[in-house]
Amino acid sequence: MTSPQATTTDSDTIVAVASAPGRGGVGVVRLSGPDAIVVAQKITRLRELPARFANYTKFCDVDGTVLDSGLAIAFPGPASFTGEDVVELQGHGSPIMLDALVRTAIKLGARMARPGEFSERAYLNGKMDLAQAEAVADLINAASEASAKAAVRSLQGDFSRLMNGLSETLVRLRVQVEAAIDFPDEDIELLAAPGITAMLADLIEQVEQIITRTRSGVRLTEGARLVLIGAPNVGKSSVLNRLCGEDRAIVTDIAGTTRDLVREQLQLNGIPVELIDTAGLRDTNDAIEAEGVRRARAAASEADLVLAVYDLADPSSKEFIENWLEEFQTERSVIFPTEIKSNVIVIENKSDLDVDAENKGFPGKQVLTYRVSAKSGANFEELTEQLVELLTGDESGSGIGTREQTYSARSRHLLALDEAATGLVDAQSAITEGHGAELVAEHLRHAQAELGSVCGEITTDALLGEIFSSFCIGK
Ligand SMILES: Nc1nc2c(ncn2[C@@H]2O[C@H](COP(=O)(O)OP(=O)(O)OP(=O)(O)O)[C@@H](O)[C@H]2O)c(=O)[nH]1
Ligand SMILES: [Mg+2]
């Protein structure tokens, strides 16, 4: 575990309901800080709270009124979640009583915890690094079992260990490069030595491999938004129903059936996905349908992946997609210059019909096509794998989340890794182009700072605030 740059200086004792909002069999109030045990002793009226022992007790208000009864468990620091003195009061899961307990703790000197403050203190006290603290929140928010398992792996430090391994190799490389700075007459030759160039090349390869794995992790954690688009009546709603395994959207043979966006949450081999069905795109005088078409276009422009559907038996619907692709790719290329190919998949639907041979394929278009029948379900398993592969970059889209090495990650981590890769590649070019050690060292320093920001060795208060404020209260 890496040691964080600061320990908590906050001497407040914080309190919050740690169990889920609403009613439950059991509800937990958590206290952390220097006065946690004293406050809990006053609430429980117990003279002693032996460490890690489940004390069955009453919980009282400051005036002695009994609010509830339950278990009080003390975890004296540093052997606690936050590293500080922590007490958990486990009462009955009545939201009213839990609130009353929190108010009592506040009257006794504690203050209400901010969202994520328990995890933030755990991080600041070196109980876990930043990527692990984020995994706590990702575990709580996980939308699929695969996402939850991946978050547990990150929480246990799988991702952090990889990052720390990279960081250590980079430190060893930097030692050599920084040493060359002291020999300004020979630094260029020193840097071009095979020891350094091979180490750098190896490091770049490692970072790239980790980027690929991290991308899958980000998908598992953050999910993806998929949007179905196409001419009316091509079978978009039928495709949505097939992928959901349920009749969620209305299907009829009337063109213009779907008007508004239909959103469904589902999992594609463990990846949490929001799939959005849209109104068939066409020019129309119907004000309601026109609004639907506008919404469809807007949804497509914000999608992680667009599923452009056409009807194999209807050449005009294919032509429609061809024209739409031109327009869409131009629009997207401005925002995502490198992603054009991977964010659209063309679905050739109604393969069960006797289709015209001429109507097959997209000659000259660099776009992935997939042939299915929403009616018979033909090819849907393969389509799902293909979608997962497109979303994660993982070639065996079959079970990304079930694999042992998949850990959870966030876009923030991916951006930092990309920046680190850029720093390393820049250092490599600087060596090849015969620049001095100063410049090479500067690129490597940049890469190190980016790697360090993932686990939180190098962070700013603003970044910490942003990360922990998205947690729930009590965590
Ligand atoms: N033969 C065959 N018919 C299909 C298939 N998929 C959909 N259909 C039929 O095509 C018609 C239109 O299907 P929808 O799913 O409503 O099409 P849509 O693209 O959502 O249509 P709009 O909402 O009007 O834009 C219905 O009669 C479906 O039963 C398929 O794979 N094979
Ligand atoms: Mg529809």
Side-chain angles (χ1 to χ4, degrees):
M1 198 171 303
T2 50
S3 55
Q5 78 278 35
T7 48
T8 172
T9 49
D10 220 334
S11 61
D12 292 356
T13 295
I14 53 173
V15 64
V17 177
S19 44
R23 300 185 182 94
V26 177
V28 179
V29 169
R30 181 146 65 172
L31 287 149
S32 178
D35 293 333
I37 292 177
V38 175
V39 171
Q41 280 168 332
K42 289 184 181 155
I43 292 176
T44 58
R45 310 275 156 144
L46 292 173
R47 229 167 286 146
E48 301 260 344
L49 277 176
R52 288 178 290 283
F53 179 82
N55 303 277
Y56 179 67
T57 176
K58 58 191 178 185
F59 301 142
C60 301
D61 200 343
V62 280
D63 62 9
T65 319
V66 176
L67 296 171
D68 196 0
S69 59
L71 301 177
I73 310 176
F75 303 89
S80 69
F81 176 71
T82 59
E84 306 172 329
D85 286 350
V86 169
V87 179
E88 282 189 8
L89 303 175
Q90 307 183 354
H92 297 96
S94 145
I96 305 287
M97 279 307 162
L98 292 170
D99 278 350
L101 265 181
V102 168
R103 277 201 307 276
T104 306
I106 291 170
K107 282 184 220 158
L108 292 168
R111 77 162 164 77
M112 192 70 200
R114 294 188 300 270
E117 198 170 2
F118 290 92
S119 302
E120 185 175 17
R121 288 184 176 200
Y123 160 68
L124 290 174
N125 288 323
K127 301 300 288 187
M128 53 173 106
D129 67 34
L130 202 50
Q132 288 174 306
E134 288 170 311
V136 172
D138 295 338
L139 174 60
I140 293 171
N141 293 327
S144 74
E145 192 180 336
S147 311
K149 281 184 176 158
V152 169
R153 285 186 207 108
S154 286
L155 182 55
Q156 287 173 340
D158 287 20
F159 181 40
S160 305
R161 269 190 291 280
L162 280 177
M163 296 304 297
N164 292 336
L166 284 181
S167 214
E168 281 162 23
T169 316
L170 182 52
V171 167
R172 283 202 298 278
L173 180 66
R174 284 182 59 207
V175 167
Q176 298 189 38
V177 172
E178 302 265 348
I181 296 178
D182 294 336
F183 301 95
D185 299 331
E186 308 158 43
D187 63 339
I188 293 169
E189 290 93 280
L190 285 172
L191 292 179
I196 292 188
T197 52
M199 202 166 165
L200 183 53
D202 190 47
L203 197 57
I204 292 173
E205 199 184 310
Q206 280 184 46
V207 172
E208 275 163 5
Q209 281 171 5
I210 292 180
I211 286 176
T212 309
R213 285 175 62 182
T214 304
R215 195 167 285 133
S216 301
V218 172
R219 281 297 178 213
L220 274 174
T221 312
E222 299 181 355
R225 184 180 297 161
L226 271 51
V227 174
L228 285 154
I229 213 151
N233 239 357
V234 295
K236 299 177 296 299
S237 301
S238 306
V239 169
L240 173 116
N241 290 344
R242 265 288 164 200
L243 285 169
C244 292
E246 278 178 65
D247 272 343
R248 306 311 290 255
I250 301 172
V251 168
T252 74
D253 56 5
I254 303 163
T257 301
T258 308
R259 297 291 186 90
D260 210 342
L261 303 181
V262 177
R263 298 169 185 272
E264 284 300 322
Q265 302 291 336
L266 61 140
Q267 292 176 30
L268 296 175
N269 294 341
I271 307 242
V273 155
E274 183 183 38
L275 181 61
I276 304 177
D277 183 21
T278 63
L281 300 178
R282 65 173 170 185
D283 290 331
T284 167
N285 293 325
D286 180 326
I288 303 170
E289 195 180 352
E291 175 58 18
V293 169
R294 193 193 65 75
R295 289 181 187 205
R297 288 185 183 275
S301 68
E302 285 169 13
D304 292 303
L305 184 62
V306 176
L307 281 60
V309 187
Y310 77 86
D311 177 346
L312 280 164
D314 173 5
S316 72
S317 73
K318 179 183 165 192
E319 205 175 300
F320 177 87
I321 291 296
E322 283 183 307
N323 294 333
W324 174 82
L325 270 174
E326 299 281 338
E327 202 186 303
F328 182 70
Q329 293 189 338
T330 321
E331 184 190 315
R332 283 289 278 228
S333 63
V334 180
I335 315 170
F336 306 103
T338 57
E339 286 186 18
I340 301 166
K341 261 185 286 176
S342 62
N343 60 30
V344 179
I345 178 169
V346 173
I347 299 192
E348 306 173 321
N349 190 33
K350 310 198 186 181
S351 65
D352 55 291
L353 297 178
D354 197 13
V355 292
D356 175 1
E358 272 179 38
N359 198 23
K360 292 178 184 171
F362 266 73
K365 278 265 167 5
Q366 283 217 331
V367 58
L368 206 71
T369 57
Y370 222 81
R371 182 159 304 190
V372 299
S373 165
K375 188 178 180 183
S376 73
N379 250 345
F380 267 79
E381 237 170 77
E382 294 83 349
L383 173 65
T384 303
E385 284 180 16
Q386 182 71 70
L387 293 176
V388 171
E389 183 183 330
L390 281 175
L391 289 173
T392 60
D394 188 290
E395 282 168 20
S396 66
S398 55
I400 190 89
T402 58
R403 256 178 285 119
E404 286 302 300
Q405 71 270 34
T406 313
Y407 47 78
S408 67
R410 297 179 165 201
S411 301
R412 178 184 87 77
H413 305 148
L414 202 53
L415 286 175
L417 278 162
D418 278 337
E419 275 295 312
T422 309
L424 295 175
V425 170
D426 287 348
Q428 199 176 37
S429 319
I431 293 176
T432 320
E433 289 161 17
H435 291 293
E438 288 278 6
L439 184 65
V440 178
E442 186 51 39
H443 289 310
L444 295 181
R445 240 173 267 145
H446 174 66
Q448 185 104 51
E450 291 296 334
L451 288 182
S453 73
V454 172
C455 292
E457 289 155 65
I458 302 148
T459 43
T460 62
D461 287 348
L463 175 68
L464 287 185
E466 194 182 311
I467 290 171
F468 287 108
S469 64
S470 67
F471 282 41
C472 48
I473 293 184
K475 200 57 242 176

